[in-house]
Amino acid sequence: MNFPGDLLYSPEHLWVRDLGQGLVRVGVTDFAQDQLGRVIYVDLPTVGQAVGAGREMGAVESAKSVSDLICPVDGQVTAVNAELADEPAPVNDDPYGAGWLAEIKLADGPPQGLLSPEAYRQTVA
């Protein structure tokens, strides 16, 4: 499993990358995509949507199951990876790159309650 050191992780298996100026990018972890199997559909939030930590912001469907995407931060969606609507394979093939889900402008300062790569690794080991 791959756990990049420049990311924070949610207990609900999403990663968070700080893009600066209060903006973060969010995606599904390598562990989660492996557990899901081949992703066949991604239901993304909409640009402008208010999202909250611990609340659903979309879903991922695979041949095995449908899993809610539980937002790791409070804020407003500023961009989504619309390419996933036509071709969701990057969620599996490149979860930390081309498979990103959404960019979110943080509501209040840095995200709280997220895990370091080492702490996340321990939760999925």
Side-chain angles (χ1 to χ4, degrees), residues 3-125:
F3 306 103
D6 64 329
L7 304 178
L8 295 173
Y9 300 85
S10 75
E12 294 81 23
H13 310 292
L14 294 183
W15 55 262
V16 175
R17 174 175 285 128
D18 184 356
L19 299 176
Q21 299 181 330
L23 191 65
V24 296
R25 183 173 278 176
V26 176
V28 175
T29 67
D30 189 29
F31 172 81
Q33 71 78 24
D34 184 61
Q35 295 297 302
L36 285 166
R38 182 56 56 191
V39 172
I40 57 175
Y41 178 73
V42 180
D43 178 26
L44 296 170
T46 57
V47 172
Q49 178 180 337
V51 292
R55 298 195 334 235
E56 181 184 340
M57 69 172 195
V60 175
E61 182 178 348
S62 71
K64 293 181 182 181
S65 67
V66 176
S67 299
D68 291 336
L69 295 170
I70 305 301
C71 191
V73 298
D74 295 320
Q76 184 173 19
V77 177
T78 60
V80 296
N81 190 350
E83 293 179 15
L84 298 179
D86 294 327
E87 183 52 60
V91 173
N92 294 110
D93 300 337
D94 188 13
Y96 300 118
W100 66 276
L101 302 174
E103 291 181 356
I104 300 169
K105 181 72 171 174
L106 298 173
D108 298 313
Q112 301 296 312
L114 298 177
L115 304 170
S116 69
E118 298 77 24
Y120 181 70
R121 180 180 287 112
Q122 290 176 359
T123 67
V124 300

